[in-house]
Amino acid sequence: RELLEMLQRPSINRLVVISAAAQGETIEDQLSAYAAPGCRGVVLSKVDEAVKLAPALDAMIRARLKVLAVANGGIWQKENLIAHGKPVYVELAPVDPRSLMQGDYMALRFRAADDARTRFAGTLPPDGHLVMADDATGVATARRIDNGSPLAAGEWRLRYRVRRGAVNFGTNAYFFAEGTGHRYEGAKFGEFRVAPDGEAILTGLRDARLQPL
């Protein structure tokens, strides 16, 4: 509160940084909490991670705020991860057919994430890492919740986040060029690149034989 009062000085031009990847209600709460209507404008961040920009833009319009700048989050880090990260394959889990295809992206769920939610129910922190390993077919499976102990041969860490009761591995959607959705109807696996610290990025989809689509 004291900091916000200090920012009321006429000599200070205030900006609010809002994540475009956040839910619409969250954005509205942030604008309200940080007195955004008295600010000069908004910097919209993480545009590259947002499934849709509509919730963020709607909140800006209704609050009568100017978007002064947009920013993509961690482009260099992502490019480096794609180039040098460990390739892993995670089996897809069924999704509601009504949400399978949404224009230019495909809704995703991962079986290892669902398994972790079931196996570790009540003990899974909202944010953390799972210790993973590849099975005989080369597909990733969750072994345990990471507690910082040394990894065994063949094990690796994967960052997860629990949101609205679901375990997420970085993303719940795959984006594709308009009009090419039919290419991914046979998708059975997600292809990730994983850093040593467990951060992961989805780089593609694979069919039942782990062939790229």
Side-chain angles (χ1 to χ4, degrees):
R1 177 64 64 178
E2 293 180 359
L3 179 59
L4 290 177
E5 291 177 354
M6 291 176 59
L7 294 177
Q8 300 296 330
R9 296 177 181 176
S11 60
I12 297 177
N13 290 320
R14 291 182 294 127
L15 302 177
V16 175
V17 179
I18 295 294
S19 169
Q23 298 293 321
E25 292 182 357
T26 301
I27 293 174
E28 291 177 359
D29 289 344
Q30 291 172 338
L31 293 178
S32 175
Y34 293 100
C39 295
R40 182 182 175 189
V42 172
V43 175
L44 200 57
S45 70
K46 297 188 177 181
V47 174
D48 57 330
E49 298 180 18
V51 174
K52 293 182 179 180
L53 292 178
L57 296 178
D58 179 66
M60 305 300 134
I61 292 171
R62 286 189 285 107
R64 298 183 179 181
L65 289 168
K66 294 180 180 179
V67 179
L68 300 180
V70 297
N72 292 332
I75 294 178
W76 179 86
Q77 291 89 339
K78 291 181 179 179
E79 291 179 347
N80 185 64
L81 178 54
I82 291 172
H84 303 291
K86 169 184 171 63
V88 301
Y89 305 104
V90 185
E91 184 178 0
L92 298 179
V95 298
D96 184 342
R98 295 170 297 179
S99 64
L100 183 60
M101 293 290 184
Q102 299 284 347
D104 58 355
Y105 75 94
M106 177 180 182
L108 300 177
R109 282 176 51 206
F110 297 98
R111 190 170 300 280
D114 289 353
D115 290 346
R117 180 186 60 184
T118 301
R119 288 174 55 198
F120 309 128
T123 62
L124 194 66
D127 294 276
H129 295 79
L130 295 172
V131 174
M132 310 287 290
D134 297 338
D135 65 16
T137 65
V139 175
T141 59
R143 288 192 169 179
R144 62 185 182 277
I145 301 172
D146 181 35
N147 60 5
S149 60
L151 300 178
E155 293 182 337
W156 42 276
R157 292 181 172 91
L158 179 62
R159 174 81 180 273
Y160 72 86
R161 298 169 178 83
V162 178
R163 297 294 183 269
R164 286 188 272 181
V167 177
N168 295 326
F169 294 154
T171 184
N172 60 357
Y174 180 74
F175 293 86
F176 46 77
E178 185 176 355
T180 62
H182 63 279
R183 291 178 47 189
Y184 305 101
E185 293 176 353
K188 299 298 182 183
F189 298 92
E191 178 182 2
F192 286 84
R193 291 295 186 275
V194 182
D197 64 358
E199 289 294 337
I201 185 171
L202 180 70
T203 58
L205 298 177
R206 300 266 173 156
D207 65 15
R209 296 180 297 172
L210 292 178
Q211 296 302 305
L213 296 173

